[in-house]
C-alpha cells in the first residue's frame, strides 16, 4: 500500500516541478516581450537627436558604395554606419523608421543579455527582472540605447563579449572565447573610448585561476585572438585616409586637445555630479555595492574586480574630452548595475517580512519613475532645446519630432529637381529621400573643424568652409536651401545671419514646417 502512495507523491512532485519550470519560462518570455515592446515604443517616439543625422547620412553613403573617411569625413568609429548602411542596402534605402527600428532591436538584444547576466550574478530571476526594469528606465535603456548612435551598439557588443567569456567557474570552449573576443573588438569599432574594457576582460580571463594558479593563458589567448578580424578591418579604414581617420576619431572630440588634467576635471566633475542627481539608479547601485563590500569583501570574485575596473575605466574615458556630456556616462550604467546585482539579491533575501519587501519594491519603483521622468522631460518634451535656445534659435521640440523631420524630407523631394543637390546645415532632412545634400555638408561638423582648427583643415577633410558656403548662397548655386536644425550653430554666427544672406541673394521661402524654412532661388538664377 505504501508504494502507490510514494509513487503518486513522486509523480505529483514531478508535475509541480514541471509546472514551475513552465511558469518560469513563460515569465521570462513575457518579460522579454514586454522589454522589446517598451524599447520599440521609445524608439518610435523619442525626439530626434541631432547627431543621429550624420550617422544615418554616413550609413546612406555606405549603402550607396561610399567608403568611410576616404570618400567623406566621418567623426566616429565605423561600425554604426556599416551596420545601418548594410541593413539599409538590404531594405532598399536608409530611412528614419528603419533606423529607429534597428536601434530598438539592438537595444533589446543588449537588455536581454543584461538581464541574463544579472540572473547569473544574483541567482534570482525576480531580482534580475527588477534590475532589468531599472536598466530600462535609466539613461542607457530609456534615452540613449534606442538612438542611432554608439551607445546601444557598444553596450550590446560589450555585454555580449562578457556573457560569452566571463570566468564563472565553468569551462569555456575556444570558439565561445574567440567569439567573445570578436564582439569585444567590434565594440572598439563602435566607440574608441571603450577600448579599456576588452583589455580588462582579457586580464580577468588571465587571472581566472587565481589563487590556485597565477595565470590562465589559453582562455585569454583565445579571447585576444578574436580581436584580430575587427582590428584588421579598423586598420584597413585607417589606411584609406589616415589623416581623416585620426582627426575624426581623436582630435575633433578634443581628446588630444592641449588641455591640462585640472581643466578636464573642472569641466567633467560637474557632469558626474549631475549624473548622480538625475540617475537615482546610480545612487542605489553604489549604496548596495558599498554595503556588500563592507559585509563580504573577502568573498568578492574576479568578476567583481573586473566590474569595478570596468566602471572606473568607462567613467574615466568619459571624462577625457574637454566638453562633458552626460550621454558618455550612460555607457557605464549597465556595469554599475551588474556590479550591484548580487547585493540587490542578498538584500532582498534578507527582507523576510512582507512589509519590508513592499517597501523595497516601492523604492525600486520610485527610482525607475524618477529616472524615466527626467529622460522623458528632456528627450520627449524638449527640455534640452529650451536650454540651448541661444544656439537653436527658433527650433523647438516640435521640429525635432521624427514625423516632422520626415515631413520636411517629403517636401524636399517634392520641390527639389531630380539630381539637384540640396544645401542644408543638417543632413537629417535628407534621410529617406531621393535628394542628396551638397558635398562637404554631409555632417554638421564642418563649422566646428574650421572654428577649432582652420579653413585649410576643413578643405583637407573635404568639408565646406564658411567662405565657400557664403559664396554658394550669394551666387545662388543651389536650387533649394533648408534652414532649420543646426543652422549657424557650429560657426557661431547664428541662423539669422544666414537667412539674411539668403534674402540678399534673392532666395524666397516656399514652405515652412515648424520653424524649418525651405528656400528656393528665383527662376532667373
Amino acid at each position: 500500500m505504501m508504494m502507490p502512495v510514494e509513487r503518486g507523491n513522486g509523480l505529483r512532485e514531478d508535475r509541480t516541478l514541471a509546472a514551475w519550470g513552465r511558469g518560469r519560462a513563460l515569465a521570462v518570455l513575457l518579460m522579454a516581450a514586454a522589454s522589446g515592446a517598451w524599447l520599440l515604443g521609445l524608439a518610435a517616439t523619442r525626439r530626434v537627436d541631432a547627431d543621429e543625422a550624420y550617422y544615418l547620412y554616413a550609413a546612406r553613403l555606405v549603402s550607396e558604395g561610399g567608403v568611410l573617411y576616404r570618400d567623406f569625413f566621418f567623426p566616429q568609429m565605423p561600425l554604426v554606419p556599416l551596420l545601418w548602411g548594410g541593413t539599409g542596402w538590404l531594405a532598399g534605402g536608409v530611412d528614419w523608421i528603419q533606423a529607429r527600428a534597428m536601434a530598438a532591436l539592438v537595444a533589446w538584444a543588449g537588455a536581454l543579455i543584461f538581464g541574463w547576466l544579472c540572473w547569473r550574478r544574483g541567482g534570482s530571476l525576480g531580482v534580475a527582472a527588477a534590475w532589468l526594469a531599472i536598466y530600462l528606465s535609466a539613461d542607457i535603456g530609456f534615452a540613449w540605447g534606442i538612438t542611432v548612435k554608439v551607445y546601444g551598439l557598444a553596450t550590446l557588443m560589450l555585454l555580449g563579449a562578457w556573457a560569452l567569456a566571463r570566468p564563472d567557474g565553468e569551462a569555456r570552449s575556444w570558439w565561445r572565447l574567440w567569439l567573445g573576443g570578436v564582439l569585444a573588438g567590434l565594440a572598439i569599432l563602435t566607440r574608441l573610448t571603450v577600448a579599456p574594457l576588452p583589455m580588462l576582460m582579457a586580464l580577468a580571463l588571465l587571472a581566472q585561476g587565481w589563487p590556485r594558479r597565477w595565470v590562465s593563458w589559453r582562455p585569454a589567448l583565445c579571447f585576444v585572438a578574436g580581436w584580430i578580424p575587427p582590428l584588421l578591418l579598423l586598420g584597413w579604414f585607417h589606411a584609406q585616409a589616415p589623416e581623416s581617420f585620426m582627426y575624426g576619431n581623436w582630435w575633433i572630440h578634443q581628446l588630444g586637445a592641449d588641455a591640462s588634467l585640472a581643466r578636464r576635471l573642472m569641466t567633467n566633475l560637474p557632469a558626474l555630479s549631475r549624473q548622480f542627481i538625475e540617475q537615482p539608479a546610480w545612487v542605489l547601485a553604489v549604496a548596495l555595492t558599498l554595503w556588500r563590500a563592507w559585509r563580504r569583501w573577502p568573498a568578492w570574485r574576479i568578476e567583481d574586480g573586473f566590474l569595478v575596473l570596468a566602471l572606473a575605466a568607462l567613467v574615466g574615458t568619459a571624462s577625457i574630452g574637454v566638453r562633458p556630456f552626460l550621454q558618455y556616462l550612460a555607457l557605464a550604467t549597465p556595469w554599475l548595475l551588474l556590479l550591484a546585482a548580487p547585493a540587490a539579491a542578498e538584500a532582498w533575501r534578507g527582507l523576510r517580512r512582507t512589509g519590508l519587501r513592499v517597501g523595497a519594491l516601492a523604492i525600486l519603483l520610485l527610482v525607475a519613475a524618477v529616472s524615466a521622468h527626467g529622460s522623458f522631460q528632456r528627450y520627449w518634451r524638449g527640455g534640452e532645446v529650451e536650454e540651448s535656445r541661444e544656439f537653436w534659435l527658433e527650433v523647438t521640440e516640435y521640429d525635432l519630432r521624427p514625423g516632422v523631420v520626415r515631413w520636411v524630407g517629403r517636401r524636399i523631394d517634392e520641390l527639389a529637381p531630380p539630381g539637384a543637390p540640396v544645401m542644408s546645415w543638417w543632413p537629417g532632412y535628407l534621410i529617406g529621400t531621393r535628394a542628396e545634400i551638397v558635398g562637404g555638408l554631409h555632417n554638421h561638423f564642418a563649422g566646428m573643424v574650421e572654428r577649432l582648427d582652420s579653413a585649410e583643415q576643413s578643405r583637407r577633410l573635404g568639408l565646406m568652409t564658411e567662405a565657400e558656403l557664403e559664396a554658394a548662397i550669394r551666387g545662388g548655386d543651389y536650387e533649394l536651401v533648408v534652414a532649420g536644425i543646426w543652422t549657424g550653430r557650429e560657426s557661431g554666427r547664428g541662423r539669422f545671419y544666414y537667412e539674411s544672406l539668403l534674402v540678399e541673394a534673392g532666395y524666397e521661402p516656399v514652405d515652412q514646417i515648424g520653424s524649418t524654412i525651405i528656400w528656393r532661388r528665383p527662376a532667373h538664377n
Side-chain angles (χ1 to χ4, degrees):
M1 292 295 295
M2 291 297 294
M3 290 299 293
V5 174
E6 289 180 358
R7 184 171 180 269
N9 288 340
L11 289 173
R12 192 156 45 247
E13 182 181 358
D14 290 342
R15 289 172 186 148
T16 302
L17 290 173
W20 179 80
R22 288 194 298 270
R24 185 170 63 169
L26 180 61
V28 169
L29 290 175
L30 290 175
M31 182 172 61
S35 300
W38 169 260
L39 290 167
L40 185 60
L42 292 178
T45 56
R46 188 204 192 276
R47 196 188 76 201
V48 168
D49 184 278
D51 285 350
E52 288 182 281
Y54 77 79
Y55 284 100
L56 286 179
Y57 204 83
R60 171 180 169 170
L61 294 175
V62 167
S63 71
E64 295 170 353
V67 176
L68 292 160
Y69 314 112
R70 186 193 71 187
D71 297 337
F72 57 93
F73 177 68
F74 182 67
Q76 290 288 350
M77 299 294 269
L79 191 58
V80 170
L82 289 178
L83 182 58
W84 266 262
T87 56
W89 178 77
L90 292 173
V94 177
D95 62 68
W96 282 103
I97 294 177
Q98 168 261 340
R100 279 292 182 87
M102 181 72 180
L105 181 62
V106 168
W108 186 39
L112 294 181
I113 295 174
F114 171 82
W116 181 83
L117 287 170
C118 284
W119 173 59
R120 295 288 291 179
R121 274 185 59 76
S124 168
L125 185 61
V127 171
W131 229 229
L132 178 60
I134 295 294
Y135 174 92
L136 293 174
S137 64
D139 49 5
I140 185 64
F142 198 101
W144 296 110
I146 42 86
T147 59
V148 187
K149 298 183 74 172
V150 297
Y151 307 105
L153 188 58
T155 297
L156 169 61
M157 295 302 170
L158 290 172
L159 290 175
W162 188 238
L164 287 169
R166 59 189 286 268
D168 60 355
E170 295 181 5
R172 288 286 189 265
S173 60
W174 70 267
W175 68 267
R176 288 184 62 178
L177 292 165
W178 182 83
L179 183 57
V182 170
L183 293 180
L186 290 175
I188 299 175
L189 262 66
T190 307
R191 178 76 170 169
L192 180 61
T193 56
V194 306
L197 261 70
M199 302 176 191
L200 291 173
M201 290 179 188
L203 288 176
L205 288 169
L206 198 64
Q208 69 177 350
W210 187 86
R212 297 188 305 275
R213 60 180 182 274
W214 283 103
V215 292
S216 300
W217 291 106
R218 183 173 297 178
L221 289 175
C222 288
F223 181 77
V224 171
W227 302 354
I228 295 175
L231 295 184
L232 286 175
L233 178 60
L234 192 64
W236 182 84
F237 276 114
H238 178 271
Q240 301 306 303
E243 181 184 10
S244 178
F245 179 90
M246 291 304 299
Y247 199 95
N249 286 295
W250 187 258
W251 289 102
I252 200 171
H253 302 285
Q254 299 191 53
L255 301 175
D258 185 16
S260 64
L261 177 61
R263 182 187 170 191
R264 294 177 189 272
L265 290 175
M266 288 297 293
T267 56
N268 283 281
L269 281 178
L272 184 58
S273 302
R274 184 178 166 190
Q275 177 76 358
F276 276 97
I277 293 172
E278 298 188 4
Q279 294 295 318
W282 276 50
V283 178
L284 178 62
V286 168
L288 285 170
T289 300
L290 293 176
W291 171 75
R292 177 172 174 251
W294 174 69
R295 293 183 70 248
R296 300 173 60 85
W297 175 261
W300 276 36
R301 299 174 297 174
I302 293 294
E303 185 174 14
D304 296 304
F306 161 77
L307 291 172
V308 170
L309 293 176
L311 180 63
L314 289 172
V315 172
T317 54
S319 305
I320 293 176
V322 179
R323 295 169 297 154
F325 293 100
L326 286 182
Q327 57 191 279
Y328 295 169
L329 293 168
L331 284 170
T333 299
W335 305 94
L336 176 58
L337 293 176
L338 280 176
L339 179 62
E346 187 175 340
W348 178 257
R349 287 191 293 267
L351 300 175
R352 302 190 180 279
R353 296 183 181 180
T354 302
L356 292 176
R357 292 199 165 192
V358 171
L361 290 175
I363 292 173
L364 289 177
L365 182 61
L366 179 63
V367 167
V370 171
S371 298
H373 179 264
S375 294
F376 180 78
Q377 288 291 107
R378 184 169 297 106
Y379 304 115
W380 274 258
R381 300 195 58 169
E384 287 289 306
V385 176
E386 294 299 321
E387 293 177 13
S388 302
R389 185 177 294 170
E390 69 273 17
F391 292 117
W392 295 83
L393 295 179
E394 298 177 357
V395 173
T396 65
E397 174 269 338
Y398 177 81
D399 300 299
L400 292 164
R401 295 178 184 176
V404 174
V405 172
R406 295 175 59 238
W407 182 7
V408 174
R410 288 194 296 271
R411 287 296 291 144
I412 291 173
D413 261 349
E414 294 169 1
L415 295 169
V422 175
M423 174 177 279
S424 175
W425 284 259
W426 188 64
Y429 297 124
L430 283 300
I431 303 300
T433 70
R434 59 173 172 79
E436 297 181 359
I437 201 166
V438 170
L441 292 177
H442 39 260
N443 65 61
H444 53 259
F445 285 94
M448 178 188 289
V449 172
E450 185 170 348
R451 177 166 50 84
L452 294 178
D453 204 322
S454 65
E456 179 58 31
Q457 182 64 58
S458 288
R459 291 190 193 96
R460 288 204 302 269
L461 295 173
L463 298 171
M464 182 176 283
T465 65
E466 288 297 318
E468 292 168 341
L469 191 151
E470 290 186 22
I473 293 175
R474 295 182 191 278
D477 292 354
Y478 302 105
E479 178 74 17
L480 290 186
V481 178
V482 184
I485 296 172
W486 219 274
T487 301
R489 173 169 179 170
E490 288 300 346
S491 68
R493 296 180 178 180
R495 175 174 168 179
F496 179 76
Y497 174 79
Y498 293 104
E499 290 189 330
S500 299
L501 289 181
L502 289 166
V503 173
E504 292 175 10
Y507 278 84
E508 300 172 349
V510 292
D511 202 354
Q512 179 171 352
I513 300 171
S515 69
T516 301
I517 301 176
I518 302 175
W519 299 76
R520 182 162 56 193
R521 67 185 175 189
H524 61 79
N525 282 355

